[in-house]
Amino acid sequence: MERADLVRLRKARDRIDREYAQPLDVESLARTALMSSGHFARSFRAVYGETPYGYLMTRRIERAKALLRRGDLSVTEVCVAVGCSSLGSFSSSFTKLVGVSPSAYRAAAHPDAADAALDDIPCVAKSVTRPVRIREAARG
C-alpha cells in the first residue's frame, strides 16, 4: 500500500477516534480518506485488522467501559453518550467484545486504585481497557 493511502486511512481512523459518539458511516469515512467506499473498507481492514464499523464499535465500547466504571450513568445513558442509537445493539456488541453485559460490567467491582492509575497514564489506560473480541482471546 502506498504511503499516501496510509496517511489518508490514518485520517479516517483519527476521525473515528475523535467523533466516535457522532453518527459515522463508511461513505463519510471514505470521503475523509478520499477513497471509494469499497476500496476504503478493504484497505482499512487490511491495515488495521478490522472493518471500519468494527473499529468504531471498539472505540465506543472502550468509552462505555469507562463511563460504566464511573457508575453515575445508567446503561441507557451510556449507550446514548457513546453514539449508539439502539440499546439492544449496544448491549449485544458490548457483550460480544467484553464478555459480560453492560449491566453486569457496571455492577462489577472496579478497584479505585487501578482506575486512578489508568487515568494518570492515558497510553496505559488505552491498552488495558481496549476490548478484546472473545474469539481473539481464545486464540491468544
Side-chain angles (χ1 to χ4, degrees):
M1 180 157 306
E2 293 185 26
R3 186 169 193 263
D5 287 342
L6 293 173
V7 169
R8 290 193 300 267
L9 286 170
R10 191 171 333 127
K11 274 183 158 179
R13 186 197 63 192
D14 291 347
R15 182 174 172 210
I16 293 171
D17 290 341
R18 273 190 323 273
E19 300 176 20
Y20 66 87
Q22 304 302 315
L24 294 172
D25 57 31
V26 172
E27 292 79 21
S28 168
L29 294 168
R31 282 192 301 274
T32 299
L34 304 175
M35 297 178 179
S36 71
S37 298
H39 181 66
F40 170 73
R42 286 187 301 276
S43 298
F44 193 97
R45 185 175 189 142
V47 171
Y48 297 111
E50 59 186 323
T51 66
Y53 179 76
Y55 186 85
L56 172 61
M57 285 309 295
T58 299
R59 287 293 149 265
R60 287 177 172 172
I61 299 304
E62 278 179 352
R63 183 64 184 140
K65 286 175 65 177
L67 293 172
L68 290 167
R69 276 195 308 274
R70 275 188 2 201
D72 60 336
L73 298 175
S74 70
V75 172
T76 302
E77 291 169 323
V78 169
C79 170
V80 172
V82 300
C84 293
S85 57
S86 162
L87 182 58
S89 173
F90 167 73
S91 294
S92 175
S93 295
F94 189 97
T95 303
K96 184 190 283 186
L97 286 170
V98 179
V100 296
S101 70
S103 299
Y105 186 84
R106 184 175 186 264
H110 301 284
D112 294 338
D115 286 345
L118 292 177
D119 290 341
D120 293 338
I121 310 170
C123 61
V124 172
K126 186 173 182 179
S127 67
V128 171
T129 61
R130 180 177 169 98
V132 176
R133 298 182 193 287
I134 301 303
R135 66 178 180 272
E136 291 173 1
R139 282 189 264 160

